Amino acid sequence: MRTLLPRLLALTLSAAFPLPAFAAQTYALVVGVDQYPNDVSLDGAVRDAEDVYASMSAAGFKVKKFTNAEARKDDLRKAWTDMVAEAVSGDTIIFTYAGHGAQMPELIAGDEADGLDEFLQLPGFDRNRYEETSKEIIVDNEMNAWFAEAEGKGVHVLFVSDSCFSGGMSRSIKGKSRLAPAVTVKLAPPSQEAVAGAALKEINFKQVTVLAASLESQPTPEVIIDGEPRGALSWSFARAVEGSADRDGNGIITRIELEDYIFSNVKNRSEALQVPNFMPQVARSESEVVVTLTRGIPAATGDTATTTNDAGTIPKTIKTVKELGWTGKIALQIDGEAARPTDAEGTGTPFRWDVATGTFYTPNGDVAAENVGADRIQPVVDKYVLLDFLKAMASQNPGTVSLAPVKDIYAAGQRLRFDAPPGRYPNMLVFNLANTGEVQFLDMQAAGTSSSEFKLTDVEIVKPFGADHLITIWTGEPVDAIGAVLSDKNVTAATLLQALLTRLDGKEASVAIQPLYTRETL
């Protein structure tokens, strides 16, 4: 996949952001488009925009939001110009876009290594009437010109693009891709700015960070989150701005904090379909700030967890999973005659169980388990109720694990390696939620000053196929009782859920989830 990021790859990005004062203002331009009269419409981009808008407004940002037909280029340009005019050095402008992206032959010969320019597609664009509607696209060159205006005033820019420009996928996903058809014929530039902006690739941008939904080789699909089609990047960014990415609770989100949070939660929420892409790829410094939470983090009430930074101990609220929207149920569509399992009366886009074939599908359309009969459906349902619980926990404090080689799906006979690095907490639990619903205990480390690395090497993919989820939990809370539950060879997902609810819900714990999708052949 090729996004707006390659446009910035040629830039020399070496300087660090200065640490902004808390008085600095953050402006935001939020765009979300579902309704494309001249193209395939989307289902979740406006939800993304509304979610991001709400989180930014609560954080004290000055936000302008444009959705569907409101997203006209002239109006977006004016909003950007007004923000740049009002902003002063040290302020930040965040531009978030959820909608279609597309490609076109390069506007300036020799300007692009692959001969293609990328553009954000607004609802008024019709590729069959390009001359009449060309002003309703925003080309990568134009984006550079916009960014340069802010850069010239010493204003920081964060561009979050939840869109798609190319790529394909191996897994069968029924959600829509945020990829519009490419323009295939050579066209005139949509604006003089699109021509002039080509020269800006040599500018040494020092205060611009771009965050794209996926790597070049991947699509950006809409996935099901909390029962609704969403963009995994937008959902994760909204949670980040709510304060979840502010690991030390000091009211600012550094580039490193944002990376750690976004990478983990996009993987969790997209079921490992996406890997976000930052530009520059490496933080300019350890203290580089990308988001200032103007209002800071409110003092916690009730149960709180504390984290420590150089300024001392700062209270930070840890919500319970129910406060985060967890219901303890999943939605399930049953195709065929069978009794409904318990905890399968949830709402939203459902899982699907084909009774005749025994195939169990995720809301995204993936095959999660095979040969699921009436005697096995309850453990599979219980697994996903537990997994939703763990995803809710991870949304507040995600951990990082890795699977190599990185693929969205693995075939029988392939070998892989799983690594869980040491956490910043002394206790660690590692287990697998198999596609059968079985809980497989892998490791427990307790009562140390810090956990040590856990590795699974040379693991071979074998039957049964479907979706496994490798789970790692790091915490300062005692884990012996949970370990005792896990070590019981007859442990079920429902029993483990009760142990985790009792011991860790509302407590400080970091959770990492590594989806592992398998098939007999690709």
Side-chain angles (χ1 to χ4, degrees):
M1 174 180 301
R2 192 168 190 279
T3 70
L4 292 174
L5 291 175
R7 201 69 180 99
L8 301 173
L9 281 173
L11 307 179
T12 303
L13 297 163
S14 58
F17 288 176
L19 189 67
F22 281 100
Q25 180 62 55
T26 300
Y27 301 84
L29 176 60
V30 177
V31 180
V33 181
D34 280 338
Q35 297 173 10
Y36 286 92
N38 306 303
D39 221 317
V40 176
S41 291
L42 298 172
D43 296 322
V46 170
R47 288 192 187 95
D48 288 346
E50 298 289 356
D51 191 14
V52 170
Y53 174 80
S55 67
M56 288 181 166
S57 298
F61 301 170
K62 292 186 176 182
V63 193
K64 293 183 179 179
K65 172 172 60 70
F66 298 84
T67 58
N68 289 330
E70 298 172 346
R72 294 177 292 271
K73 185 176 181 179
D74 287 346
D75 293 337
L76 300 184
R77 189 64 173 103
K78 183 178 186 305
W80 179 270
T81 301
D82 291 346
M83 288 179 184
V84 172
E86 184 176 344
V88 298
S89 180
D91 286 348
T92 298
I93 300 177
I94 301 175
F95 180 7
T96 71
Y97 173 81
H100 275 315
Q103 293 179 310
M104 64 192 303
E106 61 184 0
L107 299 174
I108 309 299
D111 182 47
E112 298 282 358
D114 63 356
L116 297 170
D117 273 309
E118 291 75 47
F119 62 88
L120 306 181
Q121 181 169 320
L122 302 178
F125 178 65
D126 183 351
R127 57 188 30 77
N128 296 315
R129 297 186 300 117
Y130 179 81
E131 290 187 4
E132 301 169 59
T133 65
S134 63
K135 69 177 184 178
E136 294 307 321
I137 64 174
I138 305 176
V139 184
D140 51 8
N141 293 348
E142 295 173 305
M143 294 298 303
N144 275 344
W146 296 22
F147 297 161
E149 292 173 355
E151 172 96 352
K153 292 189 66 174
V155 174
H156 311 305
V157 174
L158 174 61
F159 176 49
V160 181
S161 178
D162 202 342
S163 60
C164 185
F165 295 92
S166 64
M169 66 181 79
S170 299
R171 302 215 317 249
S172 299
I173 300 298
K174 66 181 181 182
K176 294 177 179 177
S177 173
R178 295 183 176 182
L179 171 65
V183 172
T184 58
V185 297
K186 180 72 174 178
L187 302 169
S191 69
Q192 184 57 42
E193 191 172 62
V195 177
L200 296 175
K201 67 181 179 181
E202 302 301 332
I203 285 183
N204 179 19
F205 279 120
K206 299 177 181 178
Q207 302 184 102
V208 176
T209 300
V210 180
L211 172 55
S214 299
L215 297 173
E216 293 182 30
S217 60
Q218 296 176 313
T220 300
E222 293 193 330
V223 297
I224 303 302
I225 299 177
D226 298 332
E228 297 180 329
R230 292 292 307 272
L233 176 61
S234 295
W235 184 92
S236 299
F237 186 70
R239 307 289 78 73
V241 171
E242 287 174 346
S244 292
D246 181 17
R247 194 159 50 209
D248 55 13
N250 65 352
I252 58 176
I253 300 174
T254 68
R255 161 66 186 267
I256 291 175
E257 286 178 321
L258 187 63
E259 276 185 7
D260 291 346
Y261 187 83
I262 292 294
F263 278 125
S264 295
N265 274 290
V266 168
K267 178 167 71 174
N268 292 346
R269 294 295 170 168
S270 72
E271 287 290 297
L273 273 174
Q274 298 170 238
V275 178
N277 200 1
F278 277 88
M279 187 62 224
Q281 291 181 327
V282 178
R284 299 173 176 102
S285 76
E286 290 186 5
S287 60
E288 177 188 354
V289 175
V290 289
V291 180
T292 300
L293 302 175
T294 308
R295 64 175 175 83
I297 302 299
T301 58
D303 288 340
T304 64
T306 59
T307 56
T308 303
N309 62 12
D310 293 338
T313 300
I314 301 173
K316 185 177 179 181
T317 300
I318 302 295
K319 295 180 179 179
T320 67
V321 291
K322 288 187 177 180
E323 290 174 320
L324 294 168
W326 182 75
T327 63
K329 298 181 184 297
I330 65 167
L332 177 63
Q333 172 185 326
I334 300 175
D335 293 346
E337 295 296 325
R340 178 169 293 277
T342 59
D343 297 328
E345 308 85 19
T347 59
T349 304
F351 290 81
R352 183 168 69 89
W353 176 35
D354 187 323
V355 178
T357 66
T359 308
F360 188 85
Y361 299 90
T362 72
N364 291 326
D366 269 314
V367 174
E370 299 174 338
N371 303 314
V372 179
D375 59 332
R376 288 184 52 208
I377 185 62
Q378 189 64 58
V380 174
V381 168
D382 290 345
K383 168 195 168 168
Y384 282 95
V385 171
L386 171 57
L387 189 61
D388 279 351
F389 168 87
L390 293 165
K391 286 183 177 181
M393 288 186 64
S395 71
Q396 298 186 95
N397 191 4
T400 301
V401 294
S402 63
L403 200 62
V406 176
K407 298 182 179 181
D408 55 19
I409 195 163
Y410 300 82
Q414 292 183 334
R415 295 181 180 275
L416 51 83
R417 170 185 176 133
F418 172 72
D419 289 282
R424 64 184 187 274
Y425 303 105
N427 305 323
M428 181 170 76
L429 297 163
V430 187
F431 55 93
N432 181 45
L433 299 179
N435 59 73
T436 59
E438 178 186 2
V439 178
Q440 299 166 341
F441 183 36
L442 298 175
D443 190 30
M444 180 179 76
Q445 299 175 22
T449 55
S450 63
S451 57
S452 59
E453 186 174 14
F454 173 82
K455 299 180 181 181
L456 285 175
T457 59
D458 199 32
V459 178
E460 183 179 359
I461 301 300
V462 297
K463 290 182 178 181
F465 304 114
D468 284 30
H469 291 80
L470 291 154
I471 311 295
T472 305
I473 301 174
W474 300 266
T475 182
E477 299 293 321
V479 294
D480 298 276
I482 302 173
V485 171
L486 278 167
S487 61
D488 184 341
K489 65 180 181 179
N490 296 316
V491 63
T492 65
T495 302
L496 177 57
L497 172 61
Q498 291 305 310
L500 293 173
L501 275 166
T502 302
R503 297 285 180 167
L504 294 183
D505 188 25
K507 308 296 184 182
E508 188 172 11
S510 181
V511 177
I513 303 169
Q514 177 61 61
L516 172 57
Y517 282 78
T518 61
R519 288 183 190 160
E520 186 165 9
T521 59
L522 296 183

